Amino acid sequence: MAVYIASTTTSVGFARGFHLSKPFFGGLGTIKNNGLELKSSSLRSLSLVGAPAKLSTCHPFLQLRGGAPPPSESPSSKKFSALASDTEDSIDNSKEIENAASTCMRSPTCGLSITGTIPPPLDFGGITYLDTTSLTENNAHRVIFILGGPGAGKGTQSERIVDTYKCVHLSVGELLRSGAENENYPHADMVKECLVQGKIVPVELSLGLLRTAMDEKAAEEGSYGSRIFLVDGFPRNYDNVQGWMEHMPTYTSVLGALVYNCPMEILEQRILSRAETSGRSDDNLTSARRRFDTFRRETEPVVRALEMVQAMQSTENEGNGGQILIVNIDGTGSIEEVWDTTENAMNSYIKNDILTANSNLLKAIEDGDIKAFNKLCADNLSIEIIKGDIRERYNSISARDLFEKHETKMTSNVASISNASIQILDGVKAFVSYENGGSRERREWHHGPKGW
C-alpha cells in the first residue's frame, strides 16, 4: 500500500479505490511502495499538471472520444505520401488520400455517433478529461483501433499493451478464420467461401463475431472491469467505418486509434526476418508490398478522416481536444522506443476513466451518498493518519466507517478542485493529486474487477 508522507497529514489507503492524504498545514509528500521510495525517474507514468481550461459544447458530428490537441499535420500522411511507389497509378496517392478522406467525412452515416453518447471534455483541476460514466452504466465496450502496414509492429506493441494495461487483443481476421471452422456458427460456410475465394466477408458478419468476442471476454469471471479492446487491423477501409457506424455504436465506444507508421524498406527487412520462423504464407515481399499498398490506398484515408474529426472537435471545444484521440506512432525505432510512445498514448486514454472515478467519488462525498461512495471502494480499506512524527494506521476498516468518520468531515467540492496532477504507473495503478478546500489530497486508484 502506498503511503503519502507530509507534515501533519491525514492519509487514507485503499486496496482498490483511492488513497487520500490531507495536509492541514501544507508540506511536501513522498510516495513509497512496500517501504521502497519511488523516485520520479523510476516511475513509468503519465504526469499531467492541471491548468485553467475553458469548455464549450461538442460539435454534433461524430461524437468520438479522446482528448488530444488537433494534429497540425498528419505524420502518417507525410510518411506514406513520401513513400508512394513509382508506378503510374500511384503518383497522385496523396491527393487520392485527401479526396477519399473528404468523401468519408461528407457521408450521411458520419452523422451517426461511432461511440454512443460521450459528453464534451470536462475540467478536473485544470486537466481536461472525458466523463466515461455513461460507458460504464451502459456496459459499452471501450475500443481502440490498431492500424499500420505489415511488419509495422502492431502485434508486438499490442502484446505489451495487453500485458501492461490488461486489455483484450482481438484480430478480426483471426475471428473470421475461427468462425469459418466453427460448426455451430450459422454463417460458417459463407465466411469460409469468402476466405477461400479471397472475397471480402460482409462487414455485418465480421462485426457480429467481434461483438460476440467482446461480450464473452467482458463476462469472464475475475477479469478487469471496464477493459479496453484492441481491435487489430480494423477498420481497413471506408466500408468498414460505415459498417461500424451502422452496427456498433450501441455496443461500443471508440476511444481512438494507434497508427504505426514505418517506411517500406524497413517493413521488408522485418518481414524477411519474421518469415524465417513465422510460418505465415503471406510473409514474403510480394505479399508485403501488396498489403502495404492496400493500407496506403484504403486505410490511410480512414486515418485522415478521423484526424479531421479530431481537429474539428478540438476547434469546437476551444482547443481543449476532441472526443477522439488518433495517435500516429513512428514505428522505425527500437521496440522500447516505440513502446515509450505507445505507453504515453495509452495513459492518455485511461486517464479519462481514472479522473471520472475520482470526480464521481468527490460528488458522492459532497452529496452524502454512501452507496455511490461504496461502489468506488475496495472491500478491505486502510487509513493512516500522519501528524508530524506521529503515525496512526488502521487496517480492514469498512467504506461506511471511512465515509462517516473521515470523508464527511473533510471539505469536498468538485468545483473547487485546482492544481491537479495524475501519475499512472504500470497501467493498473494511478495517483491523483489536487488542492481541495485549502488542503492537498492524494488518492490512489487501482484497476480491478469493478474497473477503476
Side-chain angles (χ1 to χ4, degrees):
M1 178 58 62
V3 177
Y4 178 88
I5 302 174
S7 58
T8 315
T9 300
T10 299
S11 175
V12 183
F14 288 69
R16 182 257 170 193
F18 62 83
H19 163 93
L20 165 67
S21 54
K22 276 280 206 177
F24 299 120
F25 304 105
L28 300 177
T30 301
I31 301 172
K32 291 189 177 182
N33 187 18
N34 296 328
L36 298 177
E37 184 172 353
L38 300 178
K39 301 297 185 181
S40 59
S41 60
S42 69
L43 300 180
R44 298 186 60 77
S45 66
L46 166 74
S47 292
L48 299 175
V49 178
K54 296 181 180 179
L55 303 176
S56 69
T57 57
C58 170
H59 197 283
F61 178 85
L62 268 189
Q63 293 186 3
L64 307 178
R65 183 169 181 265
S72 58
E73 185 175 3
S74 167
S76 59
S77 180
K78 290 195 298 182
K79 185 178 289 290
F80 284 104
S81 295
L83 294 171
S85 65
D86 294 330
T87 57
E88 182 178 352
D89 61 354
S90 64
I91 292 177
D92 295 327
N93 180 64
S94 180
K95 186 175 182 179
E96 290 177 13
I97 288 174
E98 296 299 329
N99 290 339
S102 297
T103 300
C104 179
M105 292 280 286
R106 290 194 301 268
S107 170
T109 58
C110 280
L112 298 175
S113 168
I114 201 171
T115 60
T117 55
I118 290 291
L122 300 176
D123 176 76
F124 184 89
I127 300 178
T128 299
Y129 77 103
L130 292 159
D131 189 332
T132 59
T133 301
S134 62
L135 304 187
T136 303
E137 292 177 345
N138 298 327
N139 295 314
H141 300 309
R142 293 155 169 77
V143 172
I144 296 176
F145 296 138
I146 307 296
L147 301 171
K154 302 187 301 295
T156 299
Q157 295 299 318
S158 291
E159 288 179 2
R160 296 194 67 166
I161 295 174
V162 169
D163 182 61
T164 302
Y165 295 92
K166 312 309 175 187
C167 301
V168 177
H169 179 252
L170 296 174
S171 166
V172 174
E174 292 178 2
L175 292 174
L176 289 173
R177 287 188 287 272
S178 297
E181 300 302 325
N182 184 355
E183 58 182 18
N184 295 321
Y185 178 51
H187 305 292
D189 291 340
M190 179 186 295
V191 173
K192 183 180 293 185
E193 182 180 356
C194 289
L195 295 177
V196 171
Q197 297 184 9
K199 297 180 180 179
I200 297 177
V201 177
V203 68
E204 58 268 22
L205 297 186
S206 299
L207 295 178
L209 288 169
L210 182 62
R211 189 169 66 239
T212 298
M214 288 192 288
D215 288 342
E216 291 175 350
K217 286 292 184 180
E220 289 180 352
E221 292 187 8
S223 65
Y224 287 79
S226 304
R227 301 175 81 178
I228 293 175
F229 291 88
L230 309 176
V231 179
D232 193 345
F234 192 97
R236 294 182 181 275
N237 52 37
Y238 170 63
D239 287 339
N240 285 172
V241 176
Q242 186 176 38
W244 186 284
M245 289 189 290
E246 290 176 355
H247 298 285
M248 299 299 279
T250 304
Y251 308 97
T252 62
S253 174
V254 177
L255 311 183
L258 300 180
V259 186
Y260 293 91
N261 303 307
C262 200
M264 190 63 210
E265 57 268 23
I266 293 181
L267 297 180
E268 289 180 352
Q269 296 172 9
R270 291 179 178 176
I271 288 172
L272 287 176
S273 177
R274 189 173 71 184
E276 297 176 0
T277 57
S278 70
R280 291 176 48 167
S281 60
D282 58 350
D283 270 351
N284 59 74
L285 292 184
T286 300
S287 294
R289 288 167 180 166
R290 186 185 302 116
R291 290 160 59 200
F292 180 84
D293 186 65
T294 299
F295 176 84
R296 186 180 58 194
R297 290 178 175 278
E298 298 188 17
T299 308
E300 179 64 10
V302 172
V303 176
R304 289 293 297 121
L306 295 177
E307 289 172 342
M308 291 177 186
V309 173
Q310 178 179 327
M312 179 182 65
Q313 290 179 337
S314 182
T315 299
E316 288 293 321
N317 294 328
E318 299 185 6
N320 289 315
Q323 283 92 319
I324 189 171
L325 175 57
I326 309 301
V327 183
N328 283 278
I329 298 174
D330 184 356
T332 60
S334 66
I335 292 177
E336 287 299 325
E337 289 172 339
V338 177
W339 172 246
D340 285 342
T341 306
T342 299
E343 186 179 35
N344 286 333
M346 288 300 303
N347 285 344
S348 295
Y349 292 124
I350 68 170
K351 60 107 172 174
N352 294 303
D353 282 329
I354 298 167
L355 293 181
T356 294
N358 207 126
S359 180
N360 288 341
L361 184 83
L362 293 179
K363 290 176 182 176
I365 299 170
E366 187 176 351
D367 297 339
D369 190 343
I370 181 61
K371 286 185 64 178
F373 180 84
N374 190 59
K375 287 182 179 179
L376 292 163
C377 297
D379 296 329
N380 296 314
L381 310 178
S382 63
I383 178 172
E384 184 172 26
I385 302 174
I386 306 172
K387 294 182 178 181
D389 296 330
I390 302 175
R391 298 187 183 188
E392 298 178 3
R393 184 177 182 86
Y394 306 92
N395 297 314
S396 300
I397 63 175
S398 68
R400 178 173 293 276
D401 283 345
L402 179 68
F403 184 79
E404 294 176 349
K405 295 179 180 180
H406 299 280
E407 288 288 6
T408 54
K409 296 180 180 179
M410 300 176 185
T411 302
S412 181
N413 188 338
V414 178
S416 68
I417 298 299
S418 62
N419 296 324
S421 65
I422 179 172
Q423 289 182 318
I424 302 173
L425 287 71
D426 300 325
V428 293
K429 181 178 179 180
F431 293 96
V432 180
S433 178
Y434 49 87
E435 292 181 9
N436 184 14
S439 300
R440 185 98 190 154
E441 296 180 4
R442 179 185 292 271
R443 300 184 185 268
E444 178 180 329
W445 293 90
H446 292 257
H447 192 196
K450 295 180 182 180
W452 285 93

